Structure formats: structure tokens, C-alpha cells
Amino acid sequence: MKGCSVVFHLAAPFITVVPKDKVQEVLLDPSIKGALNVLESANAESSIKRVVMTSSIAAIVTDGTDCEEALKRTGKMCNEETWNESATETFSPYALSKTMAEKAAWAFMKENDCSYELAVCNPSFVLGPGVKVFEGSESYAFMKKMGDGTYKKTPDISMAVVDVRDVARGHMAAGFLPSVTGERYILNGANTNILDMGKVIFEAYPDYPLPSSRIPKWLIYCIAPLLGQTRQYVSRSVGTNKDLDNAKSLRKLELGEYTPLAKTLNDMFKQCVDNGFIPFVESKH
């Protein structure tokens, strides 16, 4: 960090399935201690004036139920004033890790006389083409399932999605624009669902076994343990709307507009097909 003026803290474990006895070791400790280590190290370098931390919308909400309850309670979509209160070590531990890490960062700033200011970016589920196909990525694993038939029949699961290129723009703005520190910013391009995303990709790739029909919630609820999911997850996530307000990032980070969902999905799908990550399907047209 020596000689730097801006630090970007981007890395934390993105693991959605963790053994119950490993949550502290695999998720909580790396996320919380990692964030605090960066902040402490930055405070030792007088040249650093700003730290940008990548948090997540998981620190804001766990699922569609959180969003719907917030809307009923406040009359507004979930925004940067919202904090995740539903995640636990046994239910959505990843969301808990992001929440605890971000809260620890803000507490550190309040309790210490830091030579720098903090800004936090809270991206939704990141999709779009990367520098290369990273097979260990949750995002690429999701896209592969979209295109190989795994999700051809799918539950009605709402998702908030953002293009990776917009995430990069948001971080640069948080790092260098004046008067944006001391705040958190939702980076979210679209409130959508798996079936609608399948329909979007189908327009460009009609021969692939994309999501095309919904599995009833009652059926998913019954067989959830066989699929490696909890019934609590199904109850809260299937058939609910995960809607988040991105107005603040558009305004204060001067993003203008987010990348259209169709471009995000099709650019990433093409990259996966071109690299053989999604098996090529010969056109029938």
C-alpha cells in the first residue's frame, strides 16, 4: 500500500454452501478479519486517502421476503438504509458474513482516527463477461446451468443482477469522485428472475436448453432437502420479489445507466459457448 492514495478491498469468500461446523472458519473469519486487516494496514500509510470496500446486497437483504417485508414496513424498495437482519449461521451464512464484515468496517471507521475515508459498494449477483471463463466462479457456474439444461425447469426465484462492467465503473467512481465517501451504494442493474433471463437468452440462442417452465413451489418445498436446499430457503425465496433501489448509485456515482440485461446475459453466454464451458449446440434454423 505504500505510496498509494486509494485502496480497493475486493476479495472475500463467495461460497453459498458451507458445512455447518465450518461457517466460522470458511466464511465469517476470512470476511471480517480480511476487511479489518485491510483497514488497519491502510491506516498505517499516510498516503492513503480513501478505501473502497466491496460488500454485497447480501448485507442489505437475504431474499425476496426481506424485500417484500421492507416494502410493507416502509413503503419503499430496499435501499442503502436497509441492513440484513434475517441471515444466521444456519440460514444464508454467506449473507451473514457480508453483513458482519461491512458492519465491522463501519465500526472500525467510527472507533479509530483514520487518515482516509471509506466508501462501500454493494453489488447484486454479478454476471457478464470476464477476462476469461473462471470455472470456479459462482457466476459462471450459474450461467453454465442456464445453458446446459440444468435450469430448463426452474422454481420462480427472483434475482437482482448487475453487469461486471458496471461493478467496475461503480468502484472507480467510489474511489475517485469527490463527496461520495462515508456511504454505501447498491450496484444493481435489473430485478428479474431465472425464467425471464432464460427468455432473454433464447432470443439470441434459441437452440439451447434454456429455462422455459416453472416448477410449482409446493413441489420444490417437498423435495428441497433432496436438492440440498432448506425448506426455509424455498419458503422465503420462491415466489417472492427481490427488488432493490439503484437510484443512489446512478445519481451520486454518476453511472448514467446500467448495462441492459440482454447485453449482460448474451455477452457472458457467448463467452461461455466460445470457450466450450457451455457445450455448443448446432443450430436447427
Side-chain angles (χ1 to χ4, degrees):
M1 295 184 185
K2 190 173 181 64
C4 294
S5 60
V6 180
V7 172
F8 294 90
H9 173 47
L10 308 177
F14 182 18
I15 307 169
T16 56
V17 179
V18 180
K20 292 180 180 179
D21 61 344
K22 295 289 186 180
V23 170
Q24 189 74 39
E25 175 187 346
V26 174
L27 282 176
L28 300 185
D29 284 347
S31 295
I32 298 166
K33 293 179 181 179
L36 293 178
N37 285 342
V38 170
L39 296 179
E40 289 168 358
S41 298
N43 211 26
E45 296 293 341
S46 60
S47 64
I48 295 172
K49 303 304 179 186
R50 189 177 300 187
V51 173
V52 179
M53 175 179 172
T54 307
S55 182
S56 168
I57 62 161
I60 293 172
V61 297
T62 296
D63 46 40
T65 294
D66 281 344
C67 293
E68 292 183 351
E69 289 177 350
L71 183 61
K72 290 178 183 177
R73 186 174 62 251
T74 66
K76 298 186 294 184
M77 295 170 64
C78 285
N79 56 35
E80 288 81 0
E81 297 176 5
T82 311
W83 281 94
N84 189 323
E85 298 179 348
S86 62
T88 67
E89 286 193 30
T90 56
F91 175 66
S92 196
Y94 168 73
L96 177 65
S97 74
K98 299 304 291 187
T99 305
M100 292 180 68
E102 188 184 341
K103 284 187 173 182
W106 288 118
F108 180 91
M109 297 298 296
K110 184 177 181 179
E111 296 164 3
N112 292 273
D113 182 21
C114 296
S115 59
Y116 57 84
E117 296 177 306
L118 176 67
V120 173
C121 292
N122 300 78
S124 55
F125 188 52
V126 181
L127 294 175
V131 175
K132 64 175 184 177
V133 172
F134 178 46
E135 297 184 10
S137 158
E138 293 279 355
S139 297
Y140 277 103
F142 172 83
M143 187 57 68
K144 180 177 176 63
K145 291 175 181 177
M146 289 286 287
D148 68 7
T150 301
Y151 288 162
K152 189 167 179 61
K153 293 184 177 181
T154 178
D156 180 15
I157 297 179
S158 177
M159 297 182 67
V161 174
V162 64
D163 192 289
V164 64
R165 294 161 288 197
D166 294 329
V167 175
R169 290 196 300 130
H171 278 73
M172 292 299 290
F176 295 100
L177 284 179
S179 304
V180 297
T181 55
E183 299 189 53
R184 59 206 305 237
Y185 299 94
I186 292 173
L187 304 179
N188 180 47
N191 300 314
T192 183
N193 60 66
I194 294 176
L195 189 59
D196 283 350
M197 286 192 281
K199 292 177 180 177
V200 169
I201 300 172
F202 179 82
E203 292 296 318
Y205 296 90
D207 300 299
Y208 284 77
L210 296 157
S212 58
S213 62
R214 286 199 173 106
I215 303 173
K217 182 172 183 175
W218 66 265
L219 179 57
I220 292 295
Y221 186 86
C222 290
I223 65 174
L226 300 177
L227 302 175
Q229 293 291 352
T230 65
R231 291 194 170 102
Q232 183 181 15
Y233 168 80
V234 174
S235 177
R236 293 179 57 91
S237 298
V238 178
T240 57
N241 293 315
K242 194 172 187 178
D243 296 334
L244 293 107
D245 187 354
N246 64 9
K248 183 179 177 181
S249 62
L250 288 171
R251 183 180 70 257
K252 294 204 68 174
L253 298 184
E254 301 177 9
L255 296 182
E257 61 182 19
Y258 280 92
T259 301
L261 181 62
K263 180 171 178 57
T264 299
L265 296 176
N266 288 332
D267 285 358
M268 187 178 192
F269 199 88
K270 182 179 186 302
Q271 183 186 36
C272 290
V273 171
D274 289 348
N275 283 269
F277 187 58
I278 294 176
F280 175 75
V281 175
E282 192 73 35
S283 177
K284 300 174 183 176
H285 296 80

